[in-house]
Amino acid sequence: MTTPQQRELQALTAKLRIGAISRREFIARATALMAAGATIGAPGLARAQASEPKRGGFARFGLQNGSQNDSLDPATWATSFTGTAFNGSLCNNLMELMPDGSVVGDLAESVEPADNATKWVFKLRKGVTFHNGKDLTSEDVRLSLMHHMGEGSSSGALAITKQFASVEADGPDTVIITLNDGSADLPYLLTDYHLSVFPANATGDGIDWASGVGTGAFTLDSFEPGIAVRMERNPNYHKNNKPYFDGFELINIPDATARLNALLTGEVHMIGDIDVRNEPLVARNKNLRIERVPSLRHFTFDMDTSVAPFDDPNVRMALKYAMDRDDIIDKVFLGDGKKGNDTPCAEIMEFFAETPPIHEYNIDKAKKLLAASGLDEVTVDLSVAETAFPGAVEAAVLFQEHAAPAGIKVNVIREANDGYWENVWLKKPFNGCDWFGRATMDWLFTTAYTSDAPWNNTHWSNAKFDELQKSARLETDHDARAEKYAEMQQLIHDDGGVLSVAFVNWRYAMTSDIGTGQIGGLLPCDNMRMTERWWMTT
């Protein structure tokens, strides 16, 4: 390998880690370098070659967003803690999101679309049983999907199931989903972590989620909400040789310093969201390593556009120009983040579009926008907690300093970590939020940005946006669809209530005892399936 090739490969790797290029672009350009004699050292790829999976061992993981209000009800799951424990370990979906972003059948052995993708036929995998020995049937799947469709449902998957005209069990091993309109994205949508399959209850009119019985890689041993979940290997799991761990414990450790101490003292084998300022401590220890995984993740301050003063578009825009995102990224994330421009769309997403102008820090513009609203000054309460996103409190305090010269007084309200997602998010008028992102534009918008989206944290309602979302879903011409999604992104940028703080990678710190393959980044914790996919190296 020549020195110029080495430097170019290192530069590509650095760009991939900060999200400056897509994984697809990285692989294409790195492959060309390999042909010239270079070797790849991309995050997550080398690990698969360094250690082969093997069975055995008990793993302990420290995550940051468990809550005393956590429940086994899949309609309520909103965090990486519940998603990893209950979707990725206890249960399975019809479809599975793989580490490379592709979709394959999980409980579904095959899937066939028909009638212009309005009808989808799923054949279930044979021989799958629940942890109590009951055979998986199509009725279990039907009722599991219907669980998110009931009147008054507030499930995070409601935006998906509202697209269903019907869900039918056709014999013991066939499920037919008919959509209101055709959608080629349905296999992706069915990987949503809420859409876990549970057994039908005794009366046959719903699912029995309370017993904690799924088809997943692990059986439930104990669950203490807000504290820990402990599970043991499912000896009858349907995937060959998986899982690798004999068991695991997922421990809730909201405080970043406490998580780091748990790792350094050997209490846990892995922690999520390591504080970027603590990375040198990990880097100096030869038995520890840090994995940065490119993702769709983004941190935001969301304004409720239905209440004053955020119901005034000029006030919203004034706040967008009153935040110095470069300063926040430099001081809070030490440069390990990418500046957002007030849309939720990551550059690596298909149909991403630029949304001019870039909302650079500009106090004069912010003042003029306030003046256009008839205001010389305005006061707003911004609710944050460390669990809102790593560094949320510090970012809010910096925003407070940035906005003050424009006459915008930001009161930083430090909320409790426990219960933040139940009591603050979707409820307080201005709050910090950690968004995982979604694999497709349609999935992202219908989850959080259309008027009827279940997780519409900005309470934004725009008739033109809703109309474009419906027509884009039906559009089969790629270029025409791209135009519609571009217009939707521009509408959010110009009129929406989202203040994008930064797009970031997932950052995990772990001991050398943990082996991984390529780590998926579309959702946290290897697309919620780290307990199934990872193994002990010793």
Side-chain angles (χ1 to χ4, degrees), residues 116-351:
N116 295 320
T118 57
K119 180 179 178 181
W120 291 80
V121 180
F122 298 86
K123 289 286 186 183
L124 300 185
R125 198 175 299 281
K126 297 185 187 304
V128 176
T129 58
F130 288 98
H131 300 152
N132 59 6
K134 176 188 177 303
D135 291 334
L136 170 73
T137 70
S138 55
E139 183 65 3
D140 299 314
V141 177
R142 186 186 76 84
L143 290 171
S144 294
L145 296 176
M146 296 290 290
H147 181 69
H148 304 271
M149 301 171 64
E151 187 175 349
S153 170
S154 58
S155 168
L158 183 60
I160 296 172
T161 56
K162 285 174 70 174
Q163 300 175 40
F164 299 171
S166 65
V167 182
E168 301 171 68
D170 184 15
D173 62 357
T174 302
V175 177
I176 301 174
I177 299 176
T178 302
L179 303 177
N180 296 314
D181 300 301
S183 174
D185 290 342
L186 185 64
Y188 263 108
L189 302 181
L190 292 175
T191 67
D192 185 284
Y193 54 94
H194 302 88
L195 300 180
S196 299
V197 175
F198 283 91
N201 61 24
T203 55
D205 58 356
I207 55 172
D208 176 15
W209 52 262
S211 297
V213 170
T215 58
F218 294 90
T219 62
L220 185 61
D221 180 32
S222 64
F223 169 37
E224 299 174 89
I227 299 175
V229 175
R230 189 180 177 98
M231 298 194 189
E232 298 176 350
R233 183 209 306 271
N234 173 10
N236 302 312
Y237 196 44
H238 64 275
K239 296 181 185 176
N240 186 34
N241 204 37
K242 288 185 177 178
Y244 304 115
F245 299 131
D246 291 335
F248 74 88
E249 186 174 24
L250 206 61
I251 305 169
N252 183 41
I253 312 176
D255 182 76
T257 302
R259 279 200 307 281
L260 177 66
N261 288 337
L263 181 73
L264 295 175
T265 60
E267 179 186 351
V268 298
H269 296 95
M270 169 271 190
I271 59 172
D273 273 343
I274 179 174
D275 189 321
V276 66
R277 290 161 297 193
N278 292 328
E279 289 189 8
L281 285 173
V282 174
R284 285 198 294 268
N285 188 325
K286 65 179 181 181
N287 295 319
L288 302 176
R289 70 177 189 276
I290 295 171
E291 296 279 0
R292 289 184 179 80
V293 182
S295 76
L296 310 174
R297 188 186 194 187
H298 51 286
F299 302 148
T300 63
F301 294 141
D302 292 340
M303 301 174 276
D304 182 345
T305 60
S306 68
V307 300
F310 307 117
D311 56 350
D312 186 328
N314 284 317
V315 172
R316 298 199 293 270
M317 190 61 76
L319 266 72
K320 292 174 183 177
Y321 277 109
M323 182 163 63
D324 186 344
R325 300 155 218 260
D326 291 316
D327 189 46
I328 291 174
I329 290 173
D330 287 345
K331 293 178 178 173
V332 179
F333 309 122
L334 302 186
D336 193 10
K338 190 172 179 61
K339 189 164 59 176
N341 194 30
D342 300 329
T343 85
C345 306
E347 289 185 6
I348 58 176
M349 292 182 71
E350 187 178 18
F351 300 119

Side-chain angles (χ1 to χ4, degrees), residues 295-302 333 338-346 349 388-390 421 432-438 444 448-449 498-506:
S295 76
L296 310 174
R297 188 186 194 187
H298 51 286
F299 302 148
T300 63
F301 294 141
D302 292 340
F333 309 122
K338 190 172 179 61
K339 189 164 59 176
N341 194 30
D342 300 329
T343 85
C345 306
M349 292 182 71
F389 61 79
W421 300 106
C433 188
D434 180 353
W435 293 100
F436 299 162
R438 290 295 185 270
L444 174 66
Y449 290 93
V498 60
L499 262 168
S500 304
V501 179
F503 285 80
V504 300
N505 297 322
W506 302 113

